[in-house]
Structures are given as structure tokens and as C-alpha cells.
Amino acid sequence: MTRRRIALGLCMALALAAVFGASLYRDRTRRPMYTETWWDLFDTVTVVSGYADSAGEWQAQAEALHADLLRYHQLFDIYNHYDGLTNLADLNEQAADGPVAVDPALMELLVFGKQAYALTNGACNIAAGGVLALWHDARESVQAAQTASGETARDSELTALLPDETALTQAARHMDIRDLVLDEQAGTVRFADPELQLDVGAIAKGWAVEQAARAAEARGLDSALINAGGSVRAIGTKADGSRWTAGVQDPDGGDVLRTVALEDGQSLIVSGDYQRYFELDGVRYHHLIDLATLQPARYCRSVAILCRDAGLGDALSTGLFCLPPDQGQTILKELTGAEALWIFEDGTLRASDGWPAEAD
């Protein structure tokens, strides 16, 4: 009887090992590393690297992670509509007419957007869609003209494509976050100002990365690094137990200026003037708009945020980029576990008190 039980137990163990890639017996420090690259998320390139017991296990985890991120991408899209889905593009068209029922994930993002506004003293404002749309359209028009002309178009001609002050001032009258009315109990959203427009670009990518990473962890993914266009989130450690690392890039495209070793669950988020921009008459017009001046922010070249929530990091990187550094430091002092690194026009760096030493 004892031998039968031992034999049965051995068979069950072998069966489980087969199902889970022999993880019960393999030296986990020697697990292979896998990498996936996706181009269909948040208008950027997303690279995920990680370790798993087998190619099948990794593929299942990667497909689930991509599915989560793609769903968030579609929910938060302000330019396109999707069948069977009420997303931000729908909300921007319909919410002025009355309450619109939304997906719980979209409601959670909008609630967080209001929190981000308060946290950054209004520098990160998801209700500023009207102002941001003017700059987005200008960027598209100038870049298209430059491409079509083969760089022969004169800057003086292209300057006419920039948003004029009257249009910007008019749009700024309709970005009061209080006009975004959220009924969490009913699950509905409405705009008290019919000309309000949402743009969640300042928070959506980081928030989506954080939520997708948490879901992946719950599914058993224990070693991965997600990098969605500069929004980096660590899951666990590498197979050998060392920490994942992420770098802060030189805004001029040179070497990495600082490398950070990320703890499990930690994120590094970077916002800079080198990501989406065009230049006219030697002036760089980028996508990070100072809502106090309604012009691209000029306080620094980039801001990197290190914290334990990629959504918070995204909001802070945008907000602090669009504020004087001293005000950014004041905001950080009210938070626990969030640090910042500023890079300025002259190449100098300024780190908050808790920014870690350079990683090996």
C-alpha cells in the first residue's frame, strides 16, 4: 500500500512538472530570458523582457499582458472608435449631452486624473484636451509640411501653422477639472461644460502599465521588465536574483546619463522635450504644454520619476516637467517613495534628496 502511494505521488509530481514547465525541478537561476516587442500600443514601442520556465509559459503570459494593454489602449484612445466599446473618443462626443455609462477601468482612470490634477497643482490636467488638441494639430501640420517640402519649406511660412493666442486662450476657458462630473456609484460621466474635452495622455500609459503589471503578477509572472515608450515597470528580479535596471537618456540622444536598479514593483517614468516635437527658427515645440502659459514648457529638458506606481510616476513626470523645479520639489516632499531627476538645457542635473546612487 505504501509503495502504491509513493508511486502515485511520484506520478502526480511528474504530471505537475510537465504542466508547469518542470519548474519544481529546474534551477530557477538558469531559466531562459524571453523578449516581446509590440508596436500597436499607445503610439509607441513596447518591449517586455522576462524569465519563465518554458517558452509556452512565457507566451501565455505575454499574450495576456498584451491583451490587457491593448484593451487600455482602446479605452483611452481619443482619436478612434471601436465596436462594442465606449471609450474616450465616444465620451468626448457624447458626455456634453448627458451622463454616459463607462467601463470601470475608464472610470478609475478618470478618478485618478482628478487626483493627479490636485497633486500637481493643476499642471497635469486631463481636462485640457482643447488646448492640447491645438498643439497636436499644429505638430501634425508642421511635420507633414516639412516632409512634403523635403525640408525646403521656410520656417516663416510654417510659423503660420502654430496655434494663435486667441485660439489657445479660448480653449483654456474650457479646461476646468470641476466640469468633469464623475458618478462612481452609477458608473457615468458627463461634462458640465459642453466644450470640455479630455486628453489623458499625461497619465494613461503609466496607469495602464501599472494595472497590467499587477494583473500579470496575479497570473504568476514573477520576473519581467515592461518598457512602454519610457514607462518602465519591474516585476520581481532577473533569474539570478539581480535587480532589473533602467536608464535616463541624454535628451540630445547621447549615452544614458543615469542608471537605476529597480526594486520589485518599482517604476521609472521619463518625460522629455525630445519625444514628440518639431523645430522652427531654432525653437523646439514639444508636446508637454505648460498650462499656465499655454506654450511648451521650458523649465528643463526632461524629468525622470522613480516610484512604486507607474501611473503616479506618469502624472508626476508630466506635472513636474511643466512646473518650476522648486515647486516640483515641494510636491515631492508631500509624497512618500517618489523621487525625481531633472535635466536642464545646459546639461546639468538636479536630483531630489532620495534619488538613488548610480546602479552598477
Side-chain angles (χ1 to χ4, degrees):
M1 186 69 174
T2 301
R3 290 181 179 177
R4 287 188 62 189
R5 288 180 177 173
I6 293 174
L8 180 60
L10 179 58
C11 288
M12 291 179 64
L14 290 173
L16 287 171
V19 171
F20 293 103
S23 61
L24 295 176
Y25 300 98
R26 180 173 295 169
D27 180 356
R28 293 174 67 83
T29 65
R30 300 181 64 182
R31 292 191 295 173
M33 187 175 80
Y34 302 91
T35 299
E36 298 285 340
T37 302
W38 303 313
W39 299 87
D40 57 347
L41 303 169
F42 301 105
D43 194 26
T44 190
V45 59
T46 299
V47 180
V48 182
S49 299
Y51 294 86
D53 290 326
S54 69
E57 178 190 338
W58 171 258
Q59 192 62 35
Q61 288 283 4
E63 289 177 359
L65 178 62
H66 178 264
D68 284 343
L69 289 171
L70 183 61
R71 177 171 172 268
Y72 291 133
H73 165 87
Q74 294 177 347
L75 269 177
F76 307 153
D77 193 340
I78 63 173
Y79 302 110
N80 302 289
H81 302 276
Y82 302 90
D83 292 339
L85 182 71
T86 299
N87 69 354
L88 271 179
D90 299 308
L91 203 56
N92 276 339
E93 289 184 0
Q94 302 170 16
D97 297 328
V100 177
V102 298
D103 185 283
L106 182 50
M107 177 63 76
E108 289 178 27
L109 179 79
L110 298 180
V111 169
F112 174 67
K114 286 206 165 193
Q115 295 169 349
Y117 176 92
L119 182 65
T120 61
N121 299 327
C124 178
N125 184 1
I126 63 171
V131 171
L132 299 181
L134 291 172
W135 281 108
H136 172 271
D137 293 346
R139 185 170 67 251
E140 295 280 305
S141 297
V142 171
Q143 290 176 335
Q146 290 174 332
T147 300
S149 66
E151 300 183 357
T152 60
R154 286 181 287 184
D155 286 356
S156 58
E157 298 171 348
L158 298 179
T159 300
L161 298 175
L162 296 176
D164 64 53
E165 291 187 11
T166 300
L168 288 169
T169 300
Q170 177 64 25
R173 295 193 181 104
H174 305 285
M175 62 178 195
D176 191 333
I177 195 73
R178 293 172 297 182
D179 289 326
L180 173 60
V181 182
L182 307 178
D183 187 333
E184 294 182 66
Q185 185 173 359
T188 61
V189 179
R190 70 176 179 88
F191 298 166
D193 178 352
E195 295 189 53
L196 176 73
Q197 289 286 281
L198 297 178
D199 184 327
V200 298
I203 62 172
K205 186 171 59 175
W207 191 91
V209 166
E210 182 64 31
Q211 303 310 309
R214 293 179 185 180
E217 290 168 332
R219 288 189 293 265
L221 184 61
D222 61 4
S223 176
L225 186 72
I226 305 169
N227 184 348
S231 295
V232 182
R233 170 51 152 86
I235 295 176
T237 64
K238 297 179 182 178
D240 62 4
S242 62
R243 289 192 284 176
W244 294 101
T245 59
V248 180
Q249 182 183 347
D250 182 341
D252 290 322
D255 296 334
V256 171
L257 297 180
R258 290 288 178 91
T259 302
V260 179
L262 299 176
E263 299 175 1
D264 179 18
Q266 202 168 34
S267 295
L268 178 70
I269 313 294
V270 183
S271 291
D273 67 3
Y274 54 90
Q275 295 169 331
R276 298 177 185 177
Y277 70 94
F278 61 89
E279 292 185 352
L280 292 177
D281 289 326
V283 178
R284 177 169 298 201
Y285 295 89
H286 56 79
H287 71 295
L288 297 163
I289 306 303
D290 179 354
L291 296 176
T293 65
L294 306 181
Q295 298 291 317
R298 307 292 183 195
Y299 303 106
C300 61
R301 295 293 312 278
S302 73
V303 174
I305 300 293
L306 184 67
C307 66
R308 297 196 65 85
D309 185 311
L312 174 62
D314 210 355
L316 287 174
S317 68
T318 301
L320 269 59
F321 187 95
C322 296
L323 289 171
D326 287 344
Q327 291 186 29
Q329 287 275 29
T330 300
I331 289 172
L332 287 178
K333 289 178 181 178
E334 300 297 320
L335 300 172
T336 300
E339 303 295 340
L341 177 71
W342 288 262
I343 301 174
F344 298 102
E345 182 69 36
D346 62 2
T348 59
L349 281 67
R350 175 178 175 179
S352 59
D353 293 340
W355 187 268
E358 183 80 359
D360 294 333

PDB file of all heavy atoms in Angstrom, residues 248-269:
ATOM      1  N   VAL A 248      18.145  56.707 -17.665  1.00  0.00           N
ATOM      2  CA  VAL A 248      17.645  58.039 -18.018  1.00  0.00           C
ATOM      3  C   VAL A 248      18.491  58.532 -19.171  1.00  0.00           C
ATOM      4  O   VAL A 248      19.694  58.741 -19.033  1.00  0.00           O
ATOM      5  CB  VAL A 248      17.734  59.008 -16.827  1.00  0.00           C
ATOM      6  CG1 VAL A 248      17.202  60.385 -17.227  1.00  0.00           C
ATOM      7  CG2 VAL A 248      16.967  58.467 -15.629  1.00  0.00           C
ATOM      8  N   GLN A 249      17.859  58.720 -20.317  1.00  0.00           N
ATOM      9  CA  GLN A 249      18.561  59.041 -21.548  1.00  0.00           C
ATOM     10  C   GLN A 249      18.991  60.501 -21.596  1.00  0.00           C
ATOM     11  O   GLN A 249      18.322  61.393 -21.087  1.00  0.00           O
ATOM     12  CB  GLN A 249      17.664  58.732 -22.745  1.00  0.00           C
ATOM     13  CG  GLN A 249      18.305  58.978 -24.101  1.00  0.00           C
ATOM     14  CD  GLN A 249      17.340  58.709 -25.239  1.00  0.00           C
ATOM     15  OE1 GLN A 249      16.284  58.120 -25.047  1.00  0.00           O
ATOM     16  NE2 GLN A 249      17.694  59.145 -26.438  1.00  0.00           N
ATOM     17  N   ASP A 250      20.112  60.740 -22.261  1.00  0.00           N
ATOM     18  CA  ASP A 250      20.528  62.086 -22.602  1.00  0.00           C
ATOM     19  C   ASP A 250      19.499  62.659 -23.580  1.00  0.00           C
ATOM     20  O   ASP A 250      19.230  62.051 -24.617  1.00  0.00           O
ATOM     21  CB  ASP A 250      21.910  62.035 -23.253  1.00  0.00           C
ATOM     22  CG  ASP A 250      22.456  63.412 -23.602  1.00  0.00           C
ATOM     23  OD1 ASP A 250      21.673  64.372 -23.690  1.00  0.00           O
ATOM     24  OD2 ASP A 250      23.672  63.520 -23.815  1.00  0.00           O
ATOM     25  N   PRO A 251      18.900  63.815 -23.297  1.00  0.00           N
ATOM     26  CA  PRO A 251      17.884  64.378 -24.200  1.00  0.00           C
ATOM     27  C   PRO A 251      18.392  64.633 -25.612  1.00  0.00           C
ATOM     28  O   PRO A 251      17.609  64.684 -26.553  1.00  0.00           O
ATOM     29  CB  PRO A 251      17.492  65.694 -23.506  1.00  0.00           C
ATOM     30  CG  PRO A 251      17.800  65.469 -22.074  1.00  0.00           C
ATOM     31  CD  PRO A 251      19.029  64.606 -22.064  1.00  0.00           C
ATOM     32  N   ASP A 252      19.714  64.779 -25.763  1.00  0.00           N
ATOM     33  CA  ASP A 252      20.281  65.012 -27.086  1.00  0.00           C
ATOM     34  C   ASP A 252      20.612  63.722 -27.816  1.00  0.00           C
ATOM     35  O   ASP A 252      21.241  63.748 -28.873  1.00  0.00           O
ATOM     36  CB  ASP A 252      21.539  65.876 -26.975  1.00  0.00           C
ATOM     37  CG  ASP A 252      21.208  67.310 -26.587  1.00  0.00           C
ATOM     38  OD1 ASP A 252      20.185  67.831 -27.079  1.00  0.00           O
ATOM     39  OD2 ASP A 252      21.958  67.903 -25.788  1.00  0.00           O
ATOM     40  N   GLY A 253      20.195  62.578 -27.242  1.00  0.00           N
ATOM     41  CA  GLY A 253      20.385  61.307 -27.914  1.00  0.00           C
ATOM     42  C   GLY A 253      21.707  60.638 -27.655  1.00  0.00           C
ATOM     43  O   GLY A 253      22.055  59.657 -28.322  1.00  0.00           O
ATOM     44  N   GLY A 254      22.453  61.119 -26.704  1.00  0.00           N
ATOM     45  CA  GLY A 254      23.734  60.511 -26.373  1.00  0.00           C
ATOM     46  C   GLY A 254      23.573  59.324 -25.454  1.00  0.00           C
ATOM     47  O   GLY A 254      22.565  58.613 -25.475  1.00  0.00           O
ATOM     48  N   ASP A 255      24.584  59.124 -24.611  1.00  0.00           N
ATOM     49  CA  ASP A 255      24.575  57.986 -23.709  1.00  0.00           C
ATOM     50  C   ASP A 255      23.522  58.147 -22.616  1.00  0.00           C
ATOM     51  O   ASP A 255      22.990  59.238 -22.379  1.00  0.00           O
ATOM     52  CB  ASP A 255      25.954  57.828 -23.053  1.00  0.00           C
ATOM     53  CG  ASP A 255      27.032  57.504 -24.072  1.00  0.00           C
ATOM     54  OD1 ASP A 255      26.686  56.927 -25.123  1.00  0.00           O
ATOM     55  OD2 ASP A 255      28.208  57.835 -23.823  1.00  0.00           O
ATOM     56  N   VAL A 256      23.242  57.039 -21.938  1.00  0.00           N
ATOM     57  CA  VAL A 256      22.383  57.076 -20.758  1.00  0.00           C
ATOM     58  C   VAL A 256      23.107  57.852 -19.664  1.00  0.00           C
ATOM     59  O   VAL A 256      24.277  57.593 -19.367  1.00  0.00           O
ATOM     60  CB  VAL A 256      22.062  55.639 -20.288  1.00  0.00           C
ATOM     61  CG1 VAL A 256      21.356  55.667 -18.942  1.00  0.00           C
ATOM     62  CG2 VAL A 256      21.194  54.935 -21.327  1.00  0.00           C
ATOM     63  N   LEU A 257      22.428  58.830 -19.079  1.00  0.00           N
ATOM     64  CA  LEU A 257      23.063  59.687 -18.079  1.00  0.00           C
ATOM     65  C   LEU A 257      23.054  59.080 -16.681  1.00  0.00           C
ATOM     66  O   LEU A 257      23.988  59.265 -15.907  1.00  0.00           O
ATOM     67  CB  LEU A 257      22.354  61.049 -18.043  1.00  0.00           C
ATOM     68  CG  LEU A 257      22.429  61.867 -19.322  1.00  0.00           C
ATOM     69  CD1 LEU A 257      21.680  63.180 -19.154  1.00  0.00           C
ATOM     70  CD2 LEU A 257      23.891  62.147 -19.702  1.00  0.00           C
ATOM     71  N   ARG A 258      22.001  58.382 -16.352  1.00  0.00           N
ATOM     72  CA  ARG A 258      21.901  57.727 -15.053  1.00  0.00           C
ATOM     73  C   ARG A 258      21.236  56.368 -15.226  1.00  0.00           C
ATOM     74  O   ARG A 258      20.300  56.226 -16.005  1.00  0.00           O
ATOM     75  CB  ARG A 258      21.073  58.567 -14.058  1.00  0.00           C
ATOM     76  CG  ARG A 258      21.751  59.840 -13.598  1.00  0.00           C
ATOM     77  CD  ARG A 258      22.905  59.560 -12.647  1.00  0.00           C
ATOM     78  NE  ARG A 258      23.585  60.773 -12.232  1.00  0.00           N
ATOM     79  CZ  ARG A 258      23.265  61.478 -11.143  1.00  0.00           C
ATOM     80  NH1 ARG A 258      22.249  61.074 -10.376  1.00  0.00           N
ATOM     81  NH2 ARG A 258      23.917  62.572 -10.834  1.00  0.00           N
ATOM     82  N   THR A 259      21.733  55.385 -14.501  1.00  0.00           N
ATOM     83  CA  THR A 259      21.138  54.052 -14.495  1.00  0.00           C
ATOM     84  C   THR A 259      20.621  53.760 -13.101  1.00  0.00           C
ATOM     85  O   THR A 259      21.294  54.052 -12.109  1.00  0.00           O
ATOM     86  CB  THR A 259      22.170  52.982 -14.899  1.00  0.00           C
ATOM     87  OG1 THR A 259      22.681  53.297 -16.205  1.00  0.00           O
ATOM     88  CG2 THR A 259      21.530  51.603 -14.953  1.00  0.00           C
ATOM     89  N   VAL A 260      19.425  53.194 -13.043  1.00  0.00           N
ATOM     90  CA  VAL A 260      18.769  52.927 -11.765  1.00  0.00           C
ATOM     91  C   VAL A 260      18.453  51.444 -11.665  1.00  0.00           C
ATOM     92  O   VAL A 260      17.927  50.845 -12.615  1.00  0.00           O
ATOM     93  CB  VAL A 260      17.464  53.735 -11.626  1.00  0.00           C
ATOM     94  CG1 VAL A 260      16.778  53.439 -10.298  1.00  0.00           C
ATOM     95  CG2 VAL A 260      17.742  55.220 -11.758  1.00  0.00           C
ATOM     96  N   ALA A 261      18.774  50.834 -10.527  1.00  0.00           N
ATOM     97  CA  ALA A 261      18.384  49.458 -10.254  1.00  0.00           C
ATOM     98  C   ALA A 261      17.009  49.474  -9.604  1.00  0.00           C
ATOM     99  O   ALA A 261      16.821  50.075  -8.538  1.00  0.00           O
ATOM    100  CB  ALA A 261      19.401  48.787  -9.332  1.00  0.00           C
ATOM    101  N   LEU A 262      16.043  48.834 -10.248  1.00  0.00           N
ATOM    102  CA  LEU A 262      14.662  48.894  -9.796  1.00  0.00           C
ATOM    103  C   LEU A 262      14.339  47.767  -8.824  1.00  0.00           C
ATOM    104  O   LEU A 262      14.660  46.603  -9.076  1.00  0.00           O
ATOM    105  CB  LEU A 262      13.712  48.793 -10.995  1.00  0.00           C
ATOM    106  CG  LEU A 262      13.829  49.894 -12.048  1.00  0.00           C
ATOM    107  CD1 LEU A 262      12.908  49.592 -13.211  1.00  0.00           C
ATOM    108  CD2 LEU A 262      13.510  51.253 -11.445  1.00  0.00           C
ATOM    109  N   GLU A 263      13.680  48.118  -7.752  1.00  0.00           N
ATOM    110  CA  GLU A 263      13.169  47.113  -6.836  1.00  0.00           C
ATOM    111  C   GLU A 263      11.916  46.481  -7.427  1.00  0.00           C
ATOM    112  O   GLU A 263      11.308  47.024  -8.363  1.00  0.00           O
ATOM    113  CB  GLU A 263      12.839  47.759  -5.482  1.00  0.00           C
ATOM    114  CG  GLU A 263      14.031  48.386  -4.782  1.00  0.00           C
ATOM    115  CD  GLU A 263      13.641  49.117  -3.514  1.00  0.00           C
ATOM    116  OE1 GLU A 263      12.425  49.115  -3.186  1.00  0.00           O
ATOM    117  OE2 GLU A 263      14.520  49.702  -2.861  1.00  0.00           O
ATOM    118  N   ASP A 264      11.531  45.341  -6.897  1.00  0.00           N
ATOM    119  CA  ASP A 264      10.310  44.675  -7.343  1.00  0.00           C
ATOM    120  C   ASP A 264       9.130  45.635  -7.205  1.00  0.00           C
ATOM    121  O   ASP A 264       8.884  46.201  -6.140  1.00  0.00           O
ATOM    122  CB  ASP A 264      10.080  43.420  -6.497  1.00  0.00           C
ATOM    123  CG  ASP A 264       8.811  42.674  -6.873  1.00  0.00           C
ATOM    124  OD1 ASP A 264       8.278  42.911  -7.976  1.00  0.00           O
ATOM    125  OD2 ASP A 264       8.351  41.849  -6.055  1.00  0.00           O
ATOM    126  N   GLY A 265       8.402  45.861  -8.300  1.00  0.00           N
ATOM    127  CA  GLY A 265       7.244  46.743  -8.276  1.00  0.00           C
ATOM    128  C   GLY A 265       7.551  48.203  -8.492  1.00  0.00           C
ATOM    129  O   GLY A 265       6.633  49.027  -8.527  1.00  0.00           O
ATOM    130  N   GLN A 266       8.808  48.552  -8.678  1.00  0.00           N
ATOM    131  CA  GLN A 266       9.183  49.955  -8.833  1.00  0.00           C
ATOM    132  C   GLN A 266       9.161  50.355 -10.310  1.00  0.00           C
ATOM    133  O   GLN A 266       9.328  49.527 -11.208  1.00  0.00           O
ATOM    134  CB  GLN A 266      10.584  50.181  -8.258  1.00  0.00           C
ATOM    135  CG  GLN A 266      10.888  51.604  -7.880  1.00  0.00           C
ATOM    136  CD  GLN A 266      12.169  51.717  -7.064  1.00  0.00           C
ATOM    137  OE1 GLN A 266      13.116  50.971  -7.267  1.00  0.00           O
ATOM    138  NE2 GLN A 266      12.197  52.657  -6.134  1.00  0.00           N
ATOM    139  N   SER A 267       8.938  51.654 -10.555  1.00  0.00           N
ATOM    140  CA  SER A 267       8.848  52.174 -11.919  1.00  0.00           C
ATOM    141  C   SER A 267       9.768  53.366 -12.107  1.00  0.00           C
ATOM    142  O   SER A 267      10.021  54.133 -11.171  1.00  0.00           O
ATOM    143  CB  SER A 267       7.411  52.610 -12.240  1.00  0.00           C
ATOM    144  OG  SER A 267       6.534  51.514 -12.231  1.00  0.00           O
ATOM    145  N   LEU A 268      10.245  53.515 -13.327  1.00  0.00           N
ATOM    146  CA  LEU A 268      10.963  54.712 -13.753  1.00  0.00           C
ATOM    147  C   LEU A 268      10.222  55.283 -14.950  1.00  0.00           C
ATOM    148  O   LEU A 268      10.075  54.606 -15.968  1.00  0.00           O
ATOM    149  CB  LEU A 268      12.411  54.384 -14.129  1.00  0.00           C
ATOM    150  CG  LEU A 268      13.230  55.584 -14.631  1.00  0.00           C
ATOM    151  CD1 LEU A 268      13.505  56.557 -13.479  1.00  0.00           C
ATOM    152  CD2 LEU A 268      14.548  55.120 -15.252  1.00  0.00           C
ATOM    153  N   ILE A 269       9.754  56.519 -14.818  1.00  0.00           N
ATOM    154  CA  ILE A 269       8.992  57.175 -15.877  1.00  0.00           C
ATOM    155  C   ILE A 269       9.716  58.464 -16.264  1.00  0.00           C
ATOM    156  O   ILE A 269      10.085  59.253 -15.389  1.00  0.00           O
ATOM    157  CB  ILE A 269       7.563  57.531 -15.423  1.00  0.00           C
ATOM    158  CG1 ILE A 269       6.905  56.337 -14.718  1.00  0.00           C
ATOM    159  CG2 ILE A 269       6.749  58.010 -16.597  1.00  0.00           C
ATOM    160  CD1 ILE A 269       6.634  55.148 -15.577  1.00  0.00           C
TER     161      ILE A 269
END
